[in-house]
Amino acid sequence: VSRPRLIPVLLLKQGLIVRSQWFRIHQVIGNPMSTVERFSNWNVDELILLDISSADFHDLRRDDLQQRYAGSTTLDVLREVARVCFMPLTFGGRVRTLDDVRDRLSAGADKVTVNTQAVEEPEFVTEAARRFGSQCVVVAIDAKRREDGGREVYTHGGTVPTGLDPAAWAARAEELGAGEIFLNSIDRDGTAQGYDLELVRSVTTATTIPVIACGGVGRYDHLPAGILEGGASAVAAANIFHFFELSYPHAKRVCIDAGLPMRQVGLGSRFFPREPRYPEGEGRERVETRLRAAAAGPPDDTEPTPPVRWCARCVYPSTSAVPLEFDETGVCTGCRVAEAKVEIPHAEWERRRGLLVETLERYHSKDASTYDCVIPVSGGKDSYFIAHVIKNELGFNPLLVTYNGNNWTPAGWRNVHRMKEAFGVDHVLYSPSVELLKKLNRLGLIVMGDMNWHAHVGITTTPVRVAAQFRVPLVIWGEHGYLDQGGQFSLEDFPEMSYRDRLEHFARGYEWNYFVGLEDISEHDMIAYKYPSDDELFDLDVRGLYLGNYVYWEANEHGPMVVERYGFELADEEFDRTYRRMSNLDDMHENGVHDYLKFVKFGYGRCTDHASKDIRAGLLTRKQAVELVRRYDHVKPGDLARWLDYVGMAEEQFDRIADTFRDPRVWRRVRGEWVKDELWEERVADVPAKSRAGV
Amino acid sequence: VRGRVAIVDYGLGNLRSVAGAVERLGHEPVVTSDPGELERADRLILPGVGAFGDGMRNLRERGLVEPLTRLVTDERRPILGLCLGSQLIARESAEFGSHEGLGWIDASVQRIATPDPTLRVPHVGWNEVRQVRESVLFDGLADGSLFYFVHSYHIDADDAELVKGETEYGVRMAAVVERGNVYGTQFHPEKSQLAGLTLLGNFLERT
């Protein structure tokens, strides 16, 4: 009669989904709307949204992204989420008054969680239940282990101990009129060690209302124990749903296989297509608006910008396009994750390599009907390194897959073709029509200020399509870019490639269908950019592993190795915008025009990325890095001439379009000139010590 | 044919979710308490979360009882009541005293009387709906499809023929009622994903 539920929890901070560790560290994952849409598609039983913002204000960061919404308060976000949330929605965070409850319910929540307020004023629970019904009052309990082995309830986001015993408090909350208990373990949060089952049991035996267990799930098979051993009515988790492709359907399958009578797995409902639906004519309108703004030119003076600050250790700015946060000492999450990575002992890398081999053993082709895995290759040093590990160190038979974006450097073109000989493997090179590529280059610039949309989406789509067609479930990528650069995940997360990453990060929210109808592009033209369906991905159990999670990854070391051993060629000539010569040979514009646009938009470029990596690797001092950034980040690159000729655009038009994308948090116009804060003259004094500007 | 759908705003209920669902189905929702707007709509939805007495009081205070009754009973405009909305269309309710309802179907509203002491009221969660009689609302839906319920009271129809779908929570009770152009679901189709939107789509396109 009452079915056990599997509930994803989304933590919202300043309007964005974050990953949480011990309630203290929060790494930005992405935009809530597209995630909630997909939950509706997957038959998610219920959704819990917890707002952990420090203030009722948020900053949605990038203007070039497709996903935008009006307003800037918690309730604005809730209202938008409610429009795409076709499942029961529980909303929590900073509920202090009956009006707060009413506002959340009328903005679209079905239930509201109450935490601190319930402890401080228990009658509040009774009043809320009387006024709105007990079914919509969920008492949230955050518990932490005490020295003596007991547990204690904490309030204020896990910071203030109350002396209350979780089981006794839960029983009291039930008496007061709570309809449900949402129980979270602070110690287990983000640790991937599984539920604190002792805690769950103590609370479920002390109450008769439903208990939702949360905190610590790091593997799907941690979930059923919360119900089977802990006695919970529902199991919830947050982080794990951000790590893997189709995580909710896979988690549900594991629960059902464990014997739990949950609702079935759902995929591909006709009401919730995975690909976003854009309003009729939006693309055309956006192009026209952008071109009009470019023709008009910027005003002579604009509003002053808030101060930009930089990581105290590397050179990433607070306005970085890579999601990162600064801690109380001013060091960014990217540096913190890099530190943690350096400290991983040899034995742990051995264990990780073992996990990789286990996965390869499980998925490789036993009957030789197909390849053991797909390796997406651009022919760069990382491609060589992955092929080296998979083929020559571990002895598996990969299929190499390359998206040909038609922007190769001569050395890069030779490098990609050398791989089949150097490694003795098969190689698929997939080349979209050049006419289409030219259109997508132009449109990418005008629509989102990034002419390389086609490359980012092509590179993340082609290998997965080929994998699905050849029935190869495993795709081995290199490094997880955001984990490496910004510390988006922890090293215990083992995040894998997912459609969400592809859409939100690589495609900037623009799916292939956005371009249909622009420059006479038809749906047939866009086949190269269509990702396999959820059904195909789920049935084949496609997984995109990042080798960097399993094998020690230091580009400065494996660069020389692949030169020495496999004849990998470095760049024929230096790049204009960075000092490194071994990166991005597959695409002359990636370090060139594309990266220059990043500078125009966000005020920093590839040299900042490379210098930050090299500071973390101990190869540069911060002072050296600052000098390099000063020298390279602003340079207008030489490949721009080729690009303009390729797509048929005048340089002035390019500049005018680029200017329309300048981030108002970074750039200000002063008497007709673009000005920004500079790394080498940092306005340190007027920056609050605690966190990034505005947060 | 994409018609105008009026969602009756009487100060109770998750209007935004219902409007989102209607929009998702490709129709134009108008959330309104203006009788003129109701008049212009091809179909009406009466949502609702809360107590019966409050619901009727709010409908009266906004002057909605008379125009709605005229549209539904004289003009036979299709209307779908959701949760509390599906109870308000009954003759009367026993929730916190006795209250008179809109009386568009011959039924009363009773508290869930489950004999099983382990089953708690309110009945909250996903539950199966058995299709006990034919209804256009069930087109394309498997018998036993799951819908999301949150309620302490349920409709008790005088004539069993009016009951098209039932759910069981220790006791069998009406989940879908229908009489002519008047439809009601005790569950929340707007929160029931594929099954819910299928049912709502049937109301918008097949009634």
Side-chain angles (χ1 to χ4, degrees):
Chain A
V1 178
S2 177
R3 286 168 185 269
R5 291 163 288 159
L6 174 62
I7 304 176
V9 179
L10 295 180
L11 297 175
L12 285 181
K13 190 174 183 181
Q14 265 69 259
L16 294 169
I17 299 176
V18 294
R19 179 208 179 282
S20 167
Q21 181 103 16
W22 307 309
F23 281 43
R24 280 192 284 116
I25 303 167
H26 301 119
Q27 292 135 307
V28 176
I29 299 288
N31 188 297
M33 255 54 84
S34 55
T35 297
V36 173
E37 283 237 25
R38 298 201 77 203
F39 285 170
S40 287
N41 191 0
W42 293 337
N43 260 3
V44 165
D45 297 327
E46 195 168 325
L47 171 62
I48 296 179
L49 213 56
L50 298 179
D51 180 36
I52 56 169
S53 307
S54 44
D56 200 3
F57 160 83
H58 66 260
D59 167 10
L60 272 178
R61 317 197 85 172
R62 304 181 53 171
D63 169 63
D64 61 331
L65 294 184
Q66 172 61 23
Q67 306 186 37
R68 300 172 298 258
Y69 51 89
S72 63
T73 69
T74 298
L75 287 172
D76 292 329
V77 181
L78 173 57
R79 280 186 203 103
E80 281 303 311
V81 167
R83 292 169 69 89
V84 294
C85 182
F86 299 100
M87 65 204 117
L89 172 63
T90 301
F91 194 84
R94 295 185 299 142
V95 171
R96 310 294 299 213
T97 66
L98 289 173
D99 284 351
D100 289 341
V101 178
R102 183 203 59 206
D103 291 347
R104 282 154 181 73
L105 293 177
S106 66
D110 299 290
K111 311 179 194 178
V112 166
T113 70
V114 190
N115 190 331
T116 303
Q117 185 65 21
V119 171
E120 290 181 352
E121 193 197 334
E123 308 73 46
F124 179 73
V125 175
T126 310
E127 284 167 36
R130 191 177 300 138
R131 184 150 150 208
F132 304 103
S134 64
Q135 81 285 343
C136 66
V137 181
V138 180
V139 168
I141 300 178
D142 297 328
K144 194 169 173 178
R145 193 181 270 270
R146 281 198 315 256
E147 297 275 313
D148 65 5
R151 311 285 193 287
E152 183 173 356
V153 176
Y154 277 64
T155 56
H156 297 83
T159 56
V160 179
T162 62
L164 292 169
D165 170 65
W169 168 232
R172 172 104 173 91
E174 177 172 359
E175 280 169 28
L176 290 165
E180 208 163 17
I181 301 288
F182 177 54
L183 178 64
N184 210 333
S185 161
I186 296 170
D187 318 276
R188 296 295 174 100
D189 181 47
T191 63
Q193 293 170 352
Y195 291 118
D196 181 348
L197 290 171
E198 214 176 294
L199 169 70
V200 178
R201 259 192 307 272
S202 73
V203 171
T204 55
T205 48
T207 51
T208 64
I209 50 176
V211 174
I212 305 167
C214 193
V217 173
R219 298 198 316 258
Y220 298 140
D221 57 13
H222 287 146
L223 291 162
I227 295 169
L228 296 169
E229 296 171 42
S233 302
V235 278
N239 295 341
I240 193 171
F241 292 114
H242 307 314
F243 300 162
F244 311 115
E245 183 67 285
L246 295 172
S247 50
Y248 188 86
H250 281 295
K252 194 66 152 307
R253 171 62 55 78
V254 168
C255 290
I256 291 171
D257 288 349
L260 294 171
M262 286 185 174
R263 295 165 72 224
Q264 65 195 29
V265 172
L267 284 173
S269 141
R270 67 183 183 279
F271 300 114
F272 313 103
R274 181 185 62 184
E275 281 68 19
R277 280 195 262 188
Y278 305 99
E280 185 80 26
E282 198 209 87
R284 201 168 295 277
E285 203 175 300
R286 189 166 170 84
V287 167
E288 283 166 11
T289 310
R290 191 62 69 179
L291 293 177
R292 268 200 305 276
D300 279 348
D301 290 280
T302 56
E303 294 291 306
T305 49
V308 171
R309 57 187 296 227
W310 284 264
C311 172
R313 186 156 304 167
C314 71
V315 285
Y316 270 115
S318 52
T319 49
S320 137
V322 174
L324 48 77
E325 301 269 315
F326 294 148
D327 66 14
E328 55 283 352
T329 62
V331 174
C332 79
T333 39
C335 285
R336 290 299 183 208
V337 168
E339 274 170 24
K341 193 172 166 184
V342 170
E343 281 165 23
I344 292 180
H346 182 71
E348 170 60 11
W349 284 117
E350 285 302 306
R351 185 185 76 87
R352 285 167 180 258
R353 185 176 282 253
L355 291 175
L356 174 66
V357 172
E358 250 173 57
T359 309
L360 277 156
E361 289 288 355
R362 182 170 149 210
Y363 286 93
H364 88 279
S365 177
K366 277 111 195 149
D367 60 1
S369 62
T370 189
Y371 299 91
D372 293 336
C373 61
V374 161
I375 304 179
V377 297
S378 64
K381 63 181 188 318
D382 295 346
S383 304
Y384 274 64
F385 181 67
I386 303 167
H388 164 77
V389 171
I390 299 298
K391 177 77 190 341
N392 290 343
E393 285 190 3
L394 302 178
F396 288 91
N397 178 34
L399 173 65
L400 309 186
V401 179
T402 301
Y403 168 82
N404 177 5
N406 203 35
N407 293 332
W408 303 87
T409 66
W413 187 241
R414 290 193 294 274
N415 280 336
V416 76
H417 285 286
R418 188 181 301 106
M419 291 193 80
K420 58 184 181 293
E421 294 166 44
F423 294 97
V425 293
D426 296 351
H427 183 194
V428 173
L429 180 81
Y430 185 67
S431 309
S433 125
V434 172
E435 190 193 335
L436 176 70
L437 289 175
K438 289 179 180 176
K439 291 179 178 178
L440 291 176
N441 266 274
R442 276 192 296 267
L443 287 168
L445 172 71
I446 298 167
V447 166
M448 71 194 88
D450 180 4
M451 27 59 73
N452 250 356
W453 176 91
H454 79 91
H456 304 139
V457 175
I459 286 165
T460 47
T461 302
T462 305
V464 185
R465 271 191 77 105
V466 171
Q469 274 163 340
F470 279 88
R471 310 285 303 161
V472 180
L474 212 52
V475 182
I476 312 280
W477 303 88
E479 268 188 307
H480 189 290
Y482 278 4
L483 194 164
D484 174 53
Q485 293 173 290
Q488 186 180 35
F489 293 93
S490 294
L491 291 160
E492 281 69 36
D493 293 349
F494 295 91
E496 298 180 6
M497 173 65 98
S498 69
Y499 177 83
R500 195 207 51 233
D501 280 352
R502 173 185 163 281
L503 179 64
E504 284 192 29
H505 169 203
F506 297 100
R508 324 261 188 257
Y510 295 89
E511 220 356 313
W512 61 266
N513 54 331
Y514 193 89
F515 299 94
V516 172
L518 301 177
E519 289 214 24
D520 292 326
I521 291 173
S522 77
E523 179 167 352
H524 299 276
D525 295 330
M526 295 299 285
I527 291 167
Y529 306 94
K530 292 183 183 178
Y531 206 65
S533 71
D534 280 359
D535 283 304
E536 280 174 280
L537 296 172
F538 190 70
D539 291 344
L540 189 58
D541 190 10
V542 172
R543 293 178 58 183
L545 271 54
Y546 288 95
L547 192 65
N549 291 331
Y550 301 91
V551 172
Y552 181 70
W553 188 284
E554 176 43 70
N556 289 299
E557 289 171 22
H558 62 238
M561 185 277 284
V562 299
V563 170
E564 170 89 8
R565 190 153 167 186
Y566 299 105
F568 176 81
E569 292 178 55
L570 298 181
D572 313 71
E573 48 192 289
E574 283 184 31
F575 287 111
D576 297 333
R577 297 187 38 77
T578 184
Y579 59 95
R580 276 201 188 181
R581 286 184 62 191
M582 56 182 182
S583 300
N584 301 103
L585 305 188
D586 59 309
D587 185 343
M588 69 177 95
H589 300 314
E590 189 66 14
N591 274 349
V593 183
H594 161 74
D595 190 57
Y596 176 68
L597 285 165
K598 178 160 107 177
F599 173 75
V600 172
K601 285 195 269 190
F602 306 116
Y604 77 101
R606 185 66 48 120
C607 184
T608 292
D609 294 322
H610 288 164
S612 294
K613 281 182 194 235
D614 286 340
I615 289 173
R616 294 169 188 168
L619 298 171
L620 286 180
T621 64
R622 193 167 188 277
K623 191 157 176 262
Q624 290 168 321
V626 170
E627 281 314 307
L628 287 168
V629 169
R630 189 171 190 172
R631 177 163 145 212
Y632 284 109
D633 257 5
H634 66 281
V635 172
K636 201 170 186 181
D639 60 289
L640 178 60
R642 181 265 181 181
W643 189 83
L644 294 169
D645 183 51
Y646 182 54
V647 304
M649 188 180 283
E651 185 168 345
E652 197 199 344
Q653 175 72 345
F654 172 88
D655 288 338
R656 281 172 165 270
I657 293 170
D659 278 346
T660 65
F661 287 97
R662 291 198 188 249
D663 189 330
R665 297 170 309 153
V666 177
W667 294 99
R668 53 192 178 270
R669 287 280 275 186
V670 180
R671 290 182 294 281
E673 296 290 329
W674 289 110
V675 180
K676 68 179 179 72
D677 288 4
E678 301 293 5
L679 170 62
W680 47 93
E681 47 198 42
E682 194 173 351
R683 286 192 275 168
V684 176
D686 53 352
V687 176
K690 202 160 179 325
S691 65
R692 117 171 166 249
V695 174
Chain B
V1 179
R2 301 291 180 227
R4 277 169 74 85
V5 181
I7 297 164
V8 183
D9 178 3
Y10 59 103
L12 289 176
N14 51 347
L15 304 167
R16 193 166 297 277
S17 307
V18 178
V22 170
E23 233 167 46
R24 177 63 54 147
L25 289 161
H27 296 260
E28 187 191 338
V30 188
V31 177
T32 183
S33 52
D34 170 21
E37 285 281 6
L38 297 176
E39 174 75 45
R40 279 191 288 280
D42 302 301
R43 284 182 180 71
L44 308 166
I45 294 178
L46 187 63
V49 172
F52 194 99
D54 295 343
M56 283 310 295
R57 193 191 62 227
N58 285 12
L59 282 173
R60 275 191 216 101
E61 280 175 5
R62 286 167 169 73
L64 287 167
V65 175
E66 191 277 326
L68 278 174
T69 302
R70 192 180 59 76
L71 286 172
V72 171
T73 57
D74 299 350
E75 301 200 12
R76 308 192 61 76
R77 204 68 60 84
I79 187 164
L80 174 65
L82 306 177
C83 196
L84 174 64
S86 80
Q87 299 175 0
L88 294 173
I89 62 178
R91 187 181 54 234
E92 66 197 345
S93 168
E95 184 175 357
F96 299 124
S98 182
H99 298 277
E100 193 182 329
L102 294 164
W104 301 336
I105 63 168
D106 294 323
S108 60
V109 176
Q110 306 292 340
R111 189 169 169 83
I112 299 172
T114 171
D116 181 345
T118 66
L119 294 179
R120 300 178 56 88
V121 174
H123 168 219
V124 181
W126 294 92
N127 209 338
E128 291 172 16
V129 171
R130 291 275 156 226
Q131 301 173 8
V132 294
R133 283 175 195 82
E134 282 189 15
S135 168
V136 72
L137 296 183
F138 295 140
D139 280 6
L141 281 172
D143 192 16
S145 289
L146 291 159
F147 292 89
Y148 186 72
F149 288 84
V150 184
H151 63 129
S152 301
Y153 289 77
H154 66 94
I155 281 206
D156 189 11
D158 298 358
D159 179 357
E161 286 296 315
L162 301 183
V163 177
K164 308 300 179 184
E166 286 184 349
T167 194
E168 195 193 324
Y169 190 67
V171 58
R172 283 165 53 175
M173 52 193 166
V176 178
V177 292
E178 176 185 331
R179 184 180 149 252
N181 57 320
V182 180
Y183 302 82
T185 68
Q186 182 57 65
F187 48 82
H188 288 275
E190 77 282 6
K191 292 283 174 181
S192 302
Q193 294 154 343
L194 179 58
L197 290 200
T198 303
L199 183 139
L200 207 51
N202 288 338
F203 170 71
L204 297 175
E205 280 147 38
R206 290 167 200 265
T207 62

